[in-house]
Amino acid sequence: MRTPRMALAAAAVLSALAAIPAHAATEIQFWHSMEGALGDRVNALVDEFNKNNTEYQVKAVYKGNYGESMNAGIAAFRAGNAPDILQVFEVGTATMMYAKGAIKPVQQMSEEAGDPIDPKAFIGAVAGYYSSPDGKLVSMPFNSSTVVFYYNKDAFKKAGLDADKPPKTWEELAAAGQKLKAAGQECGYTTSWPSWTQLETFSAWHNVPYATKDNGFGGLDARLAINTDLHVRHMENLAKMGKEGIFQYGGRGDEPNSLFISGKCAMITGSSGLRANIAKNAKFEFGTSTLPYYGDVKGAPQNTIIGGASLWVFANKKPEVYKGVTKFFKFLASPEIAARWHQQTGYVPVTKAAYERTLKEGFYGKNPGTDVGVKQLNVETTAQSRGVRLGYLPQIREIEDAEIERIVSGKVTAKEGLANITKRGDELLEKFQKSVGN
Protein backbone atom coordinates (compact mmCIF):
# COMPACT_ATOMS: atom_id res chain seq x y z
CA MET A 1 0.00 0.00 0.00
CA ARG A 2 2.90 2.32 0.70
CA THR A 3 4.12 2.30 -2.87
CA PRO A 4 0.89 3.51 -4.51
CA ARG A 5 0.43 6.13 -1.79
CA MET A 6 3.99 7.36 -2.27
CA ALA A 7 3.44 7.44 -6.00
CA LEU A 8 0.25 9.44 -5.57
CA ALA A 9 1.98 11.86 -3.21
CA ALA A 10 4.87 12.31 -5.59
CA ALA A 11 2.48 12.96 -8.48
CA ALA A 12 0.64 15.55 -6.42
CA VAL A 13 3.90 17.33 -5.61
CA LEU A 14 5.00 17.28 -9.24
CA SER A 15 1.60 18.58 -10.35
CA ALA A 16 1.81 21.43 -7.84
CA LEU A 17 5.33 22.29 -8.93
CA ALA A 18 4.27 22.29 -12.56
CA ALA A 19 1.54 24.79 -11.78
CA ILE A 20 4.10 27.27 -10.40
CA PRO A 21 5.71 29.38 -13.14
CA ALA A 22 9.48 29.16 -13.47
CA HIS A 23 9.63 32.87 -12.69
CA ALA A 24 7.10 35.64 -12.50
CA ALA A 25 6.81 37.94 -15.50
CA THR A 26 8.48 41.32 -15.13
CA GLU A 27 5.76 43.96 -14.85
CA ILE A 28 6.24 47.25 -16.68
CA GLN A 29 4.19 50.23 -15.56
CA PHE A 30 3.11 52.45 -18.47
CA TRP A 31 1.30 55.72 -17.69
CA HIS A 32 -0.40 57.38 -20.64
CA SER A 33 -2.91 60.06 -21.63
CA MET A 34 -4.85 58.33 -24.40
CA GLU A 35 -8.62 58.25 -23.90
CA GLY A 36 -11.66 57.37 -25.98
CA ALA A 37 -10.90 55.68 -29.30
CA LEU A 38 -7.18 56.32 -28.82
CA GLY A 39 -7.24 54.73 -25.38
CA ASP A 40 -8.86 51.67 -26.91
CA ARG A 41 -6.05 51.46 -29.45
CA VAL A 42 -3.37 51.71 -26.76
CA ASN A 43 -4.99 48.97 -24.69
CA ALA A 44 -5.23 46.75 -27.77
CA LEU A 45 -1.53 47.23 -28.51
CA VAL A 46 -0.56 46.42 -24.92
CA ASP A 47 -2.77 43.31 -24.91
CA GLU A 48 -1.18 42.14 -28.15
CA PHE A 49 2.32 42.60 -26.75
CA ASN A 50 1.46 40.84 -23.49
CA LYS A 51 -0.05 37.82 -25.25
CA ASN A 52 3.13 37.30 -27.23
CA ASN A 53 5.62 38.10 -24.45
CA THR A 54 5.02 36.08 -21.31
CA GLU A 55 8.37 37.16 -19.90
CA TYR A 56 7.28 40.82 -19.72
CA GLN A 57 3.83 42.20 -18.99
CA VAL A 58 3.01 45.86 -19.64
CA LYS A 59 0.34 47.43 -17.46
CA ALA A 60 -1.18 50.47 -19.15
CA VAL A 61 -2.74 53.05 -16.85
CA TYR A 62 -4.59 56.19 -17.98
CA LYS A 63 -3.40 59.11 -15.83
CA GLY A 64 -5.41 62.02 -17.20
CA ASN A 65 -4.57 64.55 -19.89
CA TYR A 66 -1.01 65.35 -20.90
CA GLY A 67 -0.47 68.00 -18.25
CA GLU A 68 -1.98 65.85 -15.51
CA SER A 69 0.00 62.73 -16.41
CA MET A 70 3.29 64.65 -16.64
CA ASN A 71 2.72 66.20 -13.22
CA ALA A 72 1.77 62.81 -11.81
CA GLY A 73 4.91 61.20 -13.23
CA ILE A 74 7.22 63.89 -11.83
CA ALA A 75 5.52 63.69 -8.43
CA ALA A 76 5.83 59.91 -8.44
CA PHE A 77 9.54 60.13 -9.24
CA ARG A 78 10.12 62.52 -6.37
CA ALA A 79 8.24 60.14 -4.08
CA GLY A 80 10.36 57.21 -5.22
CA ASN A 81 7.63 55.26 -7.02
CA ALA A 82 7.80 56.48 -10.61
CA PRO A 83 6.31 54.34 -13.40
CA ASP A 84 8.71 52.71 -15.84
CA ILE A 85 7.29 54.51 -18.89
CA LEU A 86 5.60 57.90 -19.00
CA GLN A 87 3.94 59.41 -22.05
CA VAL A 88 4.85 63.11 -22.21
CA PHE A 89 3.56 65.64 -24.73
CA GLU A 90 6.11 67.28 -26.98
CA VAL A 91 6.10 70.58 -25.11
CA GLY A 92 7.46 68.78 -22.06
CA THR A 93 10.55 67.60 -23.95
CA ALA A 94 12.97 70.25 -22.70
CA THR A 95 11.77 69.85 -19.12
CA MET A 96 12.30 66.09 -19.26
CA MET A 97 15.66 66.36 -21.03
CA TYR A 98 17.07 68.62 -18.34
CA ALA A 99 15.62 66.62 -15.44
CA LYS A 100 19.06 65.35 -14.46
CA GLY A 101 19.04 61.94 -12.86
CA ALA A 102 15.33 61.41 -13.52
CA ILE A 103 15.31 59.80 -16.95
CA LYS A 104 17.10 56.99 -18.72
CA PRO A 105 17.86 57.98 -22.34
CA VAL A 106 16.15 55.51 -24.65
CA GLN A 107 19.07 54.84 -26.97
CA GLN A 108 21.45 54.31 -24.08
CA MET A 109 18.94 51.99 -22.40
CA SER A 110 18.47 49.85 -25.51
CA GLU A 111 22.20 49.60 -26.14
CA GLU A 112 22.84 48.50 -22.57
CA ALA A 113 20.03 45.95 -22.94
CA GLY A 114 21.83 44.50 -25.96
CA ASP A 115 19.02 45.37 -28.39
CA PRO A 116 19.83 48.81 -29.84
CA ILE A 117 17.08 51.08 -31.14
CA ASP A 118 18.33 52.79 -34.31
CA PRO A 119 17.40 56.49 -34.54
CA LYS A 120 17.86 56.32 -38.31
CA ALA A 121 14.78 54.09 -38.53
CA PHE A 122 12.55 57.05 -37.66
CA ILE A 123 11.29 59.90 -39.82
CA GLY A 124 13.92 62.64 -39.67
CA ALA A 125 11.66 65.37 -38.25
CA VAL A 126 10.47 63.03 -35.51
CA ALA A 127 13.86 61.62 -34.53
CA GLY A 128 15.45 65.06 -34.62
CA TYR A 129 12.96 66.48 -32.17
CA TYR A 130 13.43 63.73 -29.60
CA SER A 131 17.21 63.50 -29.85
CA SER A 132 20.04 65.08 -27.90
CA PRO A 133 22.44 67.48 -29.65
CA ASP A 134 24.70 64.51 -30.50
CA GLY A 135 21.87 62.76 -32.34
CA LYS A 136 20.98 60.10 -29.75
CA LEU A 137 17.36 59.34 -28.92
CA VAL A 138 16.41 60.49 -25.45
CA SER A 139 12.76 59.40 -25.65
CA MET A 140 10.81 56.97 -27.80
CA PRO A 141 8.73 58.46 -30.64
CA PHE A 142 5.19 57.12 -30.41
CA ASN A 143 2.15 59.22 -31.18
CA SER A 144 3.56 62.02 -33.26
CA SER A 145 0.98 64.31 -34.77
CA THR A 146 0.83 67.57 -36.61
CA VAL A 147 -1.86 70.17 -37.17
CA VAL A 148 -4.19 69.60 -40.12
CA PHE A 149 -7.42 71.17 -41.36
CA TYR A 150 -10.68 69.21 -41.14
CA TYR A 151 -13.94 70.29 -42.73
CA ASN A 152 -17.53 69.07 -42.89
CA LYS A 153 -18.25 68.14 -46.50
CA ASP A 154 -21.98 67.90 -45.92
CA ALA A 155 -22.07 71.43 -44.51
CA PHE A 156 -19.99 72.69 -47.43
CA LYS A 157 -22.43 71.20 -49.94
CA LYS A 158 -25.39 72.71 -48.10
CA ALA A 159 -23.73 76.15 -48.23
CA GLY A 160 -23.04 75.82 -51.97
CA LEU A 161 -19.29 75.37 -51.45
CA ASP A 162 -17.20 72.88 -53.39
CA ALA A 163 -16.68 69.98 -50.96
CA ASP A 164 -13.58 68.93 -52.88
CA LYS A 165 -11.93 72.36 -52.71
CA PRO A 166 -11.40 73.37 -49.07
CA PRO A 167 -10.01 76.85 -48.34
CA LYS A 168 -6.24 77.14 -48.67
CA THR A 169 -5.72 80.64 -47.29
CA TRP A 170 -7.11 82.51 -44.30
CA GLU A 171 -8.92 84.84 -46.68
CA GLU A 172 -10.64 81.86 -48.33
CA LEU A 173 -11.50 80.41 -44.92
CA ALA A 174 -13.23 83.66 -43.90
CA ALA A 175 -15.19 83.72 -47.17
CA ALA A 176 -16.25 80.10 -46.68
CA GLY A 177 -17.27 80.93 -43.13
CA GLN A 178 -19.56 83.71 -44.37
CA LYS A 179 -21.32 81.33 -46.79
CA LEU A 180 -21.68 78.67 -44.10
CA LYS A 181 -23.20 81.24 -41.75
CA ALA A 182 -25.63 82.40 -44.45
CA ALA A 183 -26.68 78.77 -44.95
CA GLY A 184 -27.59 78.47 -41.27
CA GLN A 185 -24.42 76.87 -39.95
CA GLU A 186 -24.12 77.76 -36.26
CA CYS A 187 -20.31 77.97 -36.34
CA GLY A 188 -17.99 78.25 -39.29
CA TYR A 189 -14.55 77.62 -37.78
CA THR A 190 -12.97 76.66 -34.47
CA THR A 191 -9.56 75.45 -33.36
CA SER A 192 -8.29 73.04 -30.78
CA TRP A 193 -4.99 73.52 -28.95
CA PRO A 194 -4.97 77.30 -29.67
CA SER A 195 -1.38 77.98 -28.63
CA TRP A 196 -0.02 75.02 -30.62
CA THR A 197 -2.05 75.68 -33.75
CA GLN A 198 -2.27 79.49 -33.80
CA LEU A 199 1.18 80.46 -32.53
CA GLU A 200 3.73 77.63 -32.64
CA THR A 201 2.61 75.88 -35.84
CA PHE A 202 1.42 79.15 -37.37
CA SER A 203 4.98 80.49 -37.08
CA ALA A 204 6.60 77.42 -38.65
CA TRP A 205 3.99 77.26 -41.44
CA HIS A 206 4.84 80.86 -42.32
CA ASN A 207 8.58 80.29 -41.86
CA VAL A 208 8.98 82.90 -39.14
CA PRO A 209 10.56 82.40 -35.68
CA TYR A 210 8.46 81.50 -32.68
CA ALA A 211 11.47 82.08 -30.44
CA THR A 212 15.09 83.14 -30.79
CA LYS A 213 18.02 80.70 -30.81
CA ASP A 214 16.39 78.52 -33.48
CA ASN A 215 13.22 78.20 -31.40
CA GLY A 216 15.23 77.04 -28.41
CA PHE A 217 17.27 74.32 -30.11
CA GLY A 218 20.27 76.65 -30.11
CA GLY A 219 20.47 77.40 -26.41
CA LEU A 220 18.77 77.94 -23.09
CA ASP A 221 18.90 81.71 -23.53
CA ALA A 222 16.13 81.61 -26.15
CA ARG A 223 13.29 84.11 -25.79
CA LEU A 224 9.86 84.43 -27.44
CA ALA A 225 9.52 86.20 -30.79
CA ILE A 226 5.76 86.28 -31.37
CA ASN A 227 4.98 89.98 -30.97
CA THR A 228 5.57 90.69 -34.67
CA ASP A 229 3.31 92.41 -37.17
CA LEU A 230 2.36 89.03 -38.68
CA HIS A 231 1.36 87.52 -35.35
CA VAL A 232 -0.59 90.65 -34.43
CA ARG A 233 -2.35 90.53 -37.81
CA HIS A 234 -3.36 86.92 -37.28
CA MET A 235 -4.71 87.45 -33.76
CA GLU A 236 -6.65 90.48 -35.00
CA ASN A 237 -8.07 88.33 -37.79
CA LEU A 238 -9.26 85.68 -35.33
CA ALA A 239 -10.89 88.35 -33.19
CA LYS A 240 -12.57 89.88 -36.25
CA MET A 241 -13.94 86.51 -37.38
CA GLY A 242 -15.19 85.98 -33.84
CA LYS A 243 -17.16 89.25 -33.93
CA GLU A 244 -18.59 88.33 -37.32
CA GLY A 245 -19.81 84.96 -36.02
CA ILE A 246 -17.47 82.97 -38.24
CA PHE A 247 -14.99 81.84 -35.57
CA GLN A 248 -15.99 80.33 -32.25
CA TYR A 249 -13.48 79.92 -29.45
CA GLY A 250 -14.14 76.49 -27.96
CA GLY A 251 -11.68 76.28 -25.10
CA ARG A 252 -8.20 74.96 -24.46
CA GLY A 253 -6.51 71.70 -25.42
CA ASP A 254 -8.82 69.33 -27.26
CA GLU A 255 -12.03 70.72 -25.74
CA PRO A 256 -13.11 72.32 -29.08
CA ASN A 257 -13.04 68.94 -30.86
CA SER A 258 -16.63 68.27 -29.82
CA LEU A 259 -17.77 71.41 -31.66
CA PHE A 260 -16.63 69.86 -34.93
CA ILE A 261 -17.57 66.24 -34.26
CA SER A 262 -21.09 67.28 -33.24
CA GLY A 263 -21.49 69.18 -36.51
CA LYS A 264 -21.84 72.56 -34.82
CA CYS A 265 -18.65 73.96 -36.38
CA ALA A 266 -17.94 73.13 -40.01
CA MET A 267 -14.16 73.66 -39.94
CA ILE A 268 -11.44 73.01 -37.38
CA THR A 269 -7.66 73.08 -37.16
CA GLY A 270 -6.51 70.28 -34.90
CA SER A 271 -4.27 67.29 -34.43
CA SER A 272 -3.94 64.69 -37.15
CA GLY A 273 -4.56 62.27 -34.28
CA LEU A 274 -8.12 63.58 -34.04
CA ARG A 275 -9.03 61.58 -37.11
CA ALA A 276 -9.86 58.41 -35.14
CA ASN A 277 -12.48 60.15 -33.03
CA ILE A 278 -13.99 61.97 -36.01
CA ALA A 279 -14.25 58.74 -38.00
CA LYS A 280 -15.84 56.95 -35.06
CA ASN A 281 -18.29 59.58 -33.84
CA ALA A 282 -19.07 62.14 -36.58
CA LYS A 283 -22.36 61.69 -38.45
CA PHE A 284 -21.19 63.44 -41.59
CA GLU A 285 -18.65 63.07 -44.37
CA PHE A 286 -15.46 64.95 -43.60
CA GLY A 287 -12.37 65.98 -45.48
CA THR A 288 -8.78 66.65 -44.48
CA SER A 289 -6.62 69.36 -45.99
CA THR A 290 -3.53 71.48 -45.41
CA LEU A 291 -3.50 74.45 -43.05
CA PRO A 292 -4.62 77.87 -44.21
CA TYR A 293 -1.92 80.50 -44.64
CA TYR A 294 -1.56 84.14 -45.62
CA GLY A 295 -0.77 84.17 -49.32
CA ASP A 296 1.23 87.39 -49.22
CA VAL A 297 3.77 86.08 -46.70
CA LYS A 298 7.02 85.15 -48.42
CA GLY A 299 8.09 81.57 -47.74
CA ALA A 300 4.63 80.36 -46.77
CA PRO A 301 3.61 77.65 -46.55
CA GLN A 302 6.77 76.02 -45.19
CA ASN A 303 6.12 72.96 -42.98
CA THR A 304 4.23 72.14 -39.84
CA ILE A 305 5.83 70.90 -36.63
CA ILE A 306 5.20 67.74 -34.69
CA GLY A 307 2.92 67.48 -31.73
CA GLY A 308 1.62 64.49 -29.86
CA ALA A 309 3.92 62.78 -27.41
CA SER A 310 6.83 60.44 -26.88
CA LEU A 311 7.58 57.79 -24.28
CA TRP A 312 10.09 58.53 -21.54
CA VAL A 313 11.80 55.98 -19.31
CA PHE A 314 12.58 56.77 -15.70
CA ALA A 315 15.99 56.14 -14.17
CA ASN A 316 16.94 53.77 -11.38
CA LYS A 317 15.05 50.73 -12.68
CA LYS A 318 16.30 47.14 -12.71
CA PRO A 319 18.09 45.80 -15.84
CA GLU A 320 15.29 43.30 -16.54
CA VAL A 321 12.81 46.17 -16.59
CA TYR A 322 14.89 48.03 -19.15
CA LYS A 323 15.13 44.89 -21.26
CA GLY A 324 11.36 44.59 -21.19
CA VAL A 325 10.85 48.26 -22.01
CA THR A 326 13.26 47.96 -24.93
CA LYS A 327 11.34 44.95 -26.25
CA PHE A 328 8.04 46.82 -25.93
CA PHE A 329 9.45 49.86 -27.73
CA LYS A 330 10.77 47.75 -30.59
CA PHE A 331 7.33 46.13 -30.84
CA LEU A 332 5.72 49.57 -31.16
CA ALA A 333 8.25 50.61 -33.81
CA SER A 334 7.92 47.44 -35.89
CA PRO A 335 6.65 48.16 -39.43
CA GLU A 336 3.36 46.31 -38.95
CA ILE A 337 2.46 47.87 -35.60
CA ALA A 338 3.65 51.41 -36.41
CA ALA A 339 1.80 51.35 -39.75
CA ARG A 340 -1.38 50.07 -38.14
CA TRP A 341 -1.21 52.72 -35.40
CA HIS A 342 -0.77 55.43 -38.04
CA GLN A 343 -3.62 54.13 -40.19
CA GLN A 344 -6.08 53.65 -37.36
CA THR A 345 -5.43 56.90 -35.45
CA GLY A 346 -4.33 59.62 -37.85
CA TYR A 347 -1.01 60.11 -36.09
CA VAL A 348 1.85 60.33 -38.56
CA PRO A 349 4.03 57.28 -39.17
CA VAL A 350 7.05 57.67 -36.90
CA THR A 351 9.24 55.23 -38.83
CA LYS A 352 10.24 55.21 -42.48
CA ALA A 353 9.24 51.55 -42.78
CA ALA A 354 5.73 52.30 -41.46
CA TYR A 355 5.25 55.02 -44.06
CA GLU A 356 6.57 52.81 -46.87
CA ARG A 357 4.34 49.92 -45.78
CA THR A 358 1.28 52.17 -45.66
CA LEU A 359 2.08 53.59 -49.09
CA LYS A 360 2.62 50.13 -50.57
CA GLU A 361 -0.69 48.90 -49.17
CA GLY A 362 -2.48 51.70 -51.01
CA PHE A 363 -3.94 53.14 -47.82
CA TYR A 364 -3.49 56.77 -48.85
CA GLY A 365 -5.25 56.19 -52.16
CA LYS A 366 -8.19 54.49 -50.47
CA ASN A 367 -8.38 57.12 -47.72
CA PRO A 368 -7.86 60.57 -49.25
CA GLY A 369 -6.43 63.14 -46.87
CA THR A 370 -4.68 60.69 -44.55
CA ASP A 371 -1.33 61.67 -46.02
CA VAL A 372 -1.78 65.41 -45.41
CA GLY A 373 0.08 65.39 -42.12
CA VAL A 374 2.94 63.38 -43.61
CA LYS A 375 3.27 65.75 -46.55
CA GLN A 376 3.25 68.81 -44.30
CA LEU A 377 6.08 67.32 -42.24
CA ASN A 378 8.08 65.71 -45.04
CA VAL A 379 9.78 68.97 -46.01
CA GLU A 380 13.32 70.13 -45.43
CA THR A 381 13.02 72.26 -42.33
CA THR A 382 14.52 75.66 -41.61
CA ALA A 383 15.76 77.18 -38.37
CA GLN A 384 12.27 78.63 -37.97
CA SER A 385 10.35 75.45 -38.75
CA ARG A 386 12.24 72.60 -37.07
CA GLY A 387 10.04 72.75 -33.99
CA VAL A 388 9.99 74.38 -30.57
CA ARG A 389 12.11 73.21 -27.65
CA LEU A 390 11.74 75.54 -24.71
CA GLY A 391 11.76 75.01 -20.98
CA TYR A 392 8.49 75.57 -19.13
CA LEU A 393 6.65 75.42 -22.46
CA PRO A 394 3.54 73.87 -20.86
CA GLN A 395 3.35 76.87 -18.52
CA ILE A 396 3.99 79.26 -21.42
CA ARG A 397 1.10 77.66 -23.28
CA GLU A 398 -1.18 78.36 -20.34
CA ILE A 399 -0.24 82.04 -20.56
CA GLU A 400 -0.80 81.99 -24.32
CA ASP A 401 -4.19 80.33 -24.04
CA ALA A 402 -5.33 82.85 -21.45
CA GLU A 403 -4.23 85.80 -23.57
CA ILE A 404 -5.75 84.37 -26.75
CA GLU A 405 -9.02 84.11 -24.86
CA ARG A 406 -8.73 87.79 -23.89
CA ILE A 407 -7.88 88.80 -27.46
CA VAL A 408 -10.75 86.99 -29.19
CA SER A 409 -13.21 88.20 -26.55
CA GLY A 410 -12.12 91.79 -27.09
CA LYS A 411 -10.76 92.36 -23.58
CA VAL A 412 -7.31 93.29 -24.90
CA THR A 413 -5.95 94.15 -28.33
CA ALA A 414 -3.87 91.60 -30.22
CA LYS A 415 -0.78 93.75 -29.72
CA GLU A 416 -1.37 93.99 -25.96
CA GLY A 417 -2.07 90.28 -25.60
CA LEU A 418 1.03 89.20 -27.50
CA ALA A 419 3.15 91.68 -25.55
CA ASN A 420 1.84 90.14 -22.31
CA ILE A 421 2.66 86.64 -23.55
CA THR A 422 6.17 87.69 -24.52
CA LYS A 423 6.89 89.43 -21.23
CA ARG A 424 5.60 86.66 -18.97
CA GLY A 425 6.93 83.90 -21.21
CA ASP A 426 10.41 85.38 -21.23
CA GLU A 427 10.34 85.56 -17.43
CA LEU A 428 9.67 81.81 -17.33
CA LEU A 429 12.42 81.10 -19.86
CA GLU A 430 14.90 83.08 -17.81
CA LYS A 431 13.84 81.20 -14.70
CA PHE A 432 14.28 77.85 -16.50
CA GLN A 433 17.71 78.87 -17.78
CA LYS A 434 18.86 79.70 -14.27
CA SER A 435 17.41 76.49 -12.83
CA VAL A 436 19.33 74.14 -15.15
CA GLY A 437 22.43 76.27 -15.82
CA ASN A 438 24.24 76.92 -19.06
Side-chain angles (χ1 to χ4, degrees):
M1 293 292 292
R2 291 178 63 188
T3 302
R5 287 178 180 174
M6 290 177 65
L8 287 171
V13 171
L14 289 172
S15 178
L17 289 172
I20 301 174
H23 59 85
T26 299
E27 184 176 286
I28 298 168
Q29 285 282 332
F30 171 27
W31 290 5
H32 67 86
S33 297
M34 300 283 92
E35 59 181 340
L38 293 173
D40 294 339
R41 300 295 184 195
V42 168
N43 290 333
L45 285 177
V46 169
D47 289 343
E48 185 174 345
F49 175 82
N50 289 341
K51 288 176 182 178
N52 294 296
N53 293 275
T54 55
E55 192 175 353
Y56 306 104
Q57 293 291 288
V58 176
K59 184 178 180 181
V61 181
Y62 173 73
K63 297 296 288 187
N65 62 37
Y66 284 136
E68 292 168 344
S69 63
M70 182 175 176
N71 291 336
I74 292 173
F77 174 78
R78 289 171 178 166
N81 56 357
D84 304 306
I85 305 170
L86 177 67
Q87 184 185 33
V88 178
F89 55 169
E90 91 287 0
V91 294
T93 299
T95 301
M96 296 297 288
M97 280 186 67
Y98 288 103
K100 297 176 181 178
I103 61 111
K104 182 78 169 178
V106 162
Q107 192 167 344
Q108 178 187 340
M109 173 197 70
S110 66
E111 290 172 354
E112 291 176 357
D115 194 10
I117 294 174
D118 184 5
K120 294 180 181 178
F122 298 90
I123 298 293
V126 176
Y129 191 83
Y130 295 118
S131 294
S132 58
D134 59 358
K136 293 184 178 293
L137 284 175
V138 290
S139 64
M140 180 68 182
F142 177 49
N143 58 310
S144 289
S145 62
T146 195
V147 184
V148 296
F149 177 80
Y150 297 105
Y151 65 103
N152 184 328
K153 287 192 170 186
D154 293 349
F156 266 51
K157 292 174 183 176
K158 183 181 177 182
L161 294 163
D162 190 335
D164 295 321
K165 291 184 178 180
K168 296 297 184 182
T169 67
W170 283 105
E171 294 83 358
E172 291 175 1
L173 184 147
Q178 290 287 9
K179 289 189 176 181
L180 287 162
K181 180 184 176 182
Q185 184 71 34
E186 185 174 349
C187 160
Y189 165 69
T190 191
T191 184
S192 59
W193 297 98
S195 53
W196 178 43
T197 61
Q198 306 303 322
L199 288 176
E200 295 167 27
T201 300
F202 174 85
S203 299
W205 193 232
H206 288 83
N207 200 27
V208 297
Y210 170 84
T212 62
K213 290 286 183 177
D214 296 347
N215 290 343
F217 280 86
L220 290 168
D221 55 340
R223 299 294 182 264
L224 297 182
I226 55 173
N227 55 348
T228 68
D229 290 343
L230 176 61
H231 292 94
V232 170
R233 170 188 177 185
H234 183 53
M235 288 295 114
E236 287 178 341
N237 188 35
L238 288 179
K240 179 175 180 291
M241 288 194 294
K243 288 181 181 179
E244 295 173 348
I246 298 172
F247 169 66
Q248 181 172 328
Y249 178 81
R252 306 182 184 188
D254 57 11
E255 291 177 6
N257 293 347
S258 61
L259 292 176
F260 180 75
I261 294 174
S262 67
K264 185 176 181 179
C265 291
M267 300 178 284
I268 187 172
T269 42
S271 168
S272 58
L274 173 59
R275 183 181 180 85
N277 276 332
I278 298 175
K280 180 180 179 180
N281 298 307
K283 306 301 182 184
F284 53 82
E285 183 183 3
F286 71 96
T288 310
S289 186
T290 53
L291 298 184
Y293 64 97
Y294 291 103
D296 59 347
V297 176
K298 187 178 180 180
Q302 169 57 36
N303 64 270
T304 55
I305 57 178
I306 67 168
S310 63
L311 306 181
W312 293 78
V313 183
F314 277 102
N316 307 322
K317 302 294 182 178
K318 295 180 180 179
E320 56 265 32
V321 169
Y322 288 142
K323 287 182 179 180
V325 171
T326 298
K327 194 163 189 177
F328 179 55
F329 283 178
K330 298 203 82 169
F331 163 78
L332 294 177
S334 63
E336 178 188 352
I337 299 303
R340 189 199 309 164
W341 172 256
H342 158 55
Q343 294 171 23
Q344 291 180 343
T345 65
Y347 285 110
V348 298
V350 295
T351 67
K352 299 172 184 176
Y355 170 71
E356 292 166 359
R357 184 185 181 101
T358 301
L359 185 65
K360 187 176 181 180
E361 291 174 353
F363 179 81
Y364 299 127
K366 298 173 186 175
N367 300 275
T370 52
D371 59 344
V372 169
V374 182
K375 289 180 177 179
Q376 287 183 164
L377 284 174
N378 193 24
V379 177
E380 186 174 347
T381 61
T382 69
Q384 293 77 246
S385 69
R386 179 182 176 187
V388 178
R389 185 183 286 175
L390 300 174
Y392 292 145
L393 191 51
Q395 293 90 329
I396 292 173
R397 274 191 177 178
E398 291 180 7
I399 295 171
E400 291 173 334
D401 286 341
E403 289 299 325
I404 290 174
E405 289 168 2
R406 283 163 31 99
I407 291 170
V408 298
S409 65
K411 293 180 180 178
V412 295
T413 66
K415 191 171 185 178
E416 289 170 340
L418 290 171
N420 289 337
I421 293 171
T422 302
K423 179 179 181 297
R424 295 174 62 195
D426 284 352
E427 289 172 353
L428 283 174
L429 290 173
E430 184 177 358
K431 181 179 178 182
F432 184 78
Q433 181 183 3
K434 290 179 179 178
S435 70
V436 300
N438 292 307

